Amino acid sequence: MCVYTCLGEDNARFVLLFVVLAVYMLAGAALFQRLEADLEIRQATEFWRVYHTFRRHHLRSGPVALRRLDELLYAYGNASSSGIINKSRRWDFSGSFHFVVTIVSTIGYGNTAPQTTPGKIAAILYGFFGCSGGILFFNLFLEKIVTLLAWVLRKIHVYRLKRQIRKKSSASGRVFEPGADREVSLPDVLDLDQWKPSVYWVMLHLSLSCCIVACCAAAVYAPLEDWKYLDALYFCFVSFATIGFGDFVSIEKTHYPYAHWYRFANFLFLLAGCCCTYSLLNVTSIVIKQGLNYIVRKTRCGNRDATVLRLPKRKSSVSTMYFSKSRGTRIVDRDSLRDNFDTPRRMSGEMISMQDFFSANKVSLTVMQKQLQEMAQSRKGGNSIVTVSNAAVLEPNAVGPLAIVGEKFKTTITRNG
């Protein structure tokens, strides 16, 4: 028995994604071990070389001086990581505002953290509601940006269709009279209300937007923070993707030219970059899910040529409707009916009224009519590849970013899928 039959499509997709992510993380661990391990060993060797050289030339008085040196190094490390020395204040108003921005945006650099017990309790409560509101804001931004991109791409699509119609009309000998309205009306056979942009085009536009924001931000960060431009781009990606390693953090120096304007620009860059990158990551997850669906369909066992159209299953039996003389009329409680008009399956001796029967099949008839209409339109076009929305790929009760993005895009799948 094949894995698909045992698990089902949703579970097979979940297991496949787990395996892919596990392999991806193992490969990433091997990659970064090869890239960074040698430098880590060299840095540790250099530190201990300097440490022992200092002990050999300057600490000959005994173990007390050595213990004091270790205490000094420990205190200096803590002070440097806490931002007490050679850095701007962490807990003035501007530093505190930067801290709450990292909480709400879920970046969490780690360079600033509360030290007192009340501060830690406040960070838990503040972070709970702040992260919830931040995620909601990112989801709303995602909905707005994909709606805007869908509207723009639809206008471009309509313009191209009108341009093609105008060219065909000119080639057929039709001449527009001078002064006449040159606006071309589209035929009624084109169902533009159902047209949705391709997820790949939206992904391309979002990628360009993220690159523009990151390049502009890096051009500001590099000279003001004394970073290399590549380091500034690296900081932008780590911040905009809300990874937040903390090795590079903006606004840590004690003095900046135009400090107030720079803090405001830093806030705008973080806001725009996080929103655009969040949208791009969710759109990319749609593409990854399409790849998983393709793999699941290709590894599916059984009949691959089965028709996609499947009529909804009936949960109520029609063949058991009869009037029993040996039993009295049974009154069905209407409160027992579900909100989606699905009635529980009755035993063979129970009676069902026609009104309950039509209520139970109201949704099924509507879905059947819609599916038959879509099949008729697809056959009218004569194509074996049908354009459907991602809502057909996603579960009907899908929520969150996948559901938001899935309503706006289309994908092409074959009927054998």
Side-chain angles (χ1 to χ4, degrees), residues 232-251:
L233 284 177
Y234 163 78
F235 164 76
C236 290
F237 172 76
V238 170
S239 300
F240 297 165
T242 68
I243 298 174
F245 290 127
D247 50 349
F248 288 91
V249 181
S250 60
I251 314 182

Side-chain angles (χ1 to χ4, degrees), residues 66-88:
L66 178 61
R67 185 174 66 253
R68 290 180 179 177
L69 173 62
D70 293 337
E71 292 176 354
L72 174 63
L73 294 177
Y74 182 78
Y76 180 82
N78 289 336
S80 178
S81 61
S82 300
I84 299 175
I85 56 177
N86 300 327
K87 295 180 182 178
S88 61

Side-chain angles (χ1 to χ4, degrees), residues 103-371:
I103 290 180
V104 174
S105 61
T106 69
I107 296 176
Y109 291 116
N111 63 319
T112 304
Q115 302 294 324
T116 62
T117 300
K120 294 177 181 178
I121 297 175
I124 294 174
L125 298 176
Y126 188 89
F128 177 79
F129 293 101
C131 293
S132 301
I135 292 174
L136 176 61
F137 178 81
F138 289 151
N139 286 332
L140 293 178
F141 179 86
L142 172 64
E143 182 179 3
K144 298 300 181 183
I145 192 66
V146 297
T147 302
L148 176 62
L149 290 175
W151 180 80
V152 172
L153 294 175
R154 184 179 184 276
K155 290 293 184 182
I156 296 175
H157 178 69
V158 171
Y159 173 76
R160 290 178 177 175
L161 289 178
K162 290 183 177 181
R163 186 177 180 182
Q164 292 177 2
I165 294 175
R166 187 181 294 110
K167 287 183 178 180
K168 292 182 179 179
S169 300
S170 300
S172 61
R174 179 181 175 184
V175 180
F176 291 97
E177 298 179 359
D181 186 11
R182 300 180 62 89
E183 183 67 22
V184 179
S185 60
L186 296 177
D188 295 335
V189 294
L190 297 176
D191 190 5
L192 293 178
D193 293 336
Q194 301 297 326
W195 184 88
K196 294 182 180 180
S198 173
V199 66
Y200 303 105
W201 280 106
V202 178
M203 182 178 175
L204 175 62
H205 286 79
L206 286 176
S207 300
L208 293 176
S209 300
C210 291
C211 290
I212 292 174
V213 174
C215 291
C216 293
V220 175
Y221 288 133
L224 294 178
E225 299 289 348
D226 295 330
W227 295 338
K228 297 179 180 179
Y229 189 77
L230 181 60
D231 293 336
L233 284 177
Y234 163 78
F235 164 76
C236 290
F237 172 76
V238 170
S239 300
F240 297 165
T242 68
I243 298 174
F245 290 127
D247 50 349
F248 288 91
V249 181
S250 60
I251 314 182
E252 281 203 319
K253 295 168 61 176
T254 55
H255 298 287
Y256 290 99
Y258 308 103
H260 297 290
W261 289 105
Y262 177 54
R263 289 190 175 94
F264 181 70
N266 177 70
F267 171 73
L268 292 182
F269 283 139
L270 290 178
L271 178 63
C274 289
C275 289
C276 293
T277 306
Y278 178 83
S279 302
L280 176 61
L281 293 178
N282 280 282
V283 173
T284 306
S285 66
I286 293 291
V287 177
I288 295 175
K289 189 170 185 179
Q290 290 180 5
L292 296 177
N293 291 335
Y294 176 80
I295 296 175
V296 170
R297 289 196 303 270
K298 289 299 182 182
T299 57
R300 179 185 303 177
C301 298
N303 187 8
R304 297 176 178 268
D305 298 328
T307 307
V308 173
L309 178 62
R310 296 181 180 89
L311 299 182
K313 295 181 179 180
R314 299 264 296 277
K315 295 186 178 181
S316 60
S317 177
V318 183
S319 61
T320 58
M321 290 192 305
Y322 66 97
F323 293 92
S324 177
K325 295 181 180 180
S326 61
R327 300 182 57 182
T329 303
R330 182 174 180 178
I331 300 175
V332 180
D333 187 7
R334 296 186 182 277
D335 293 335
S336 65
L337 297 177
R338 299 179 182 178
D339 293 337
N340 58 356
F341 303 103
D342 288 336
T343 59
R345 184 181 295 276
R346 292 171 170 79
M347 302 300 292
S348 59
E350 297 185 22
M351 182 184 67
I352 180 172
S353 65
M354 294 301 296
Q355 184 177 1
D356 293 336
F357 166 68
F358 286 124
S359 297
N361 291 275
K362 184 176 181 180
V363 177
S364 299
L365 292 174
T366 304
V367 175
M368 185 190 305
Q369 182 181 4
K370 182 178 180 181
Q371 289 178 342

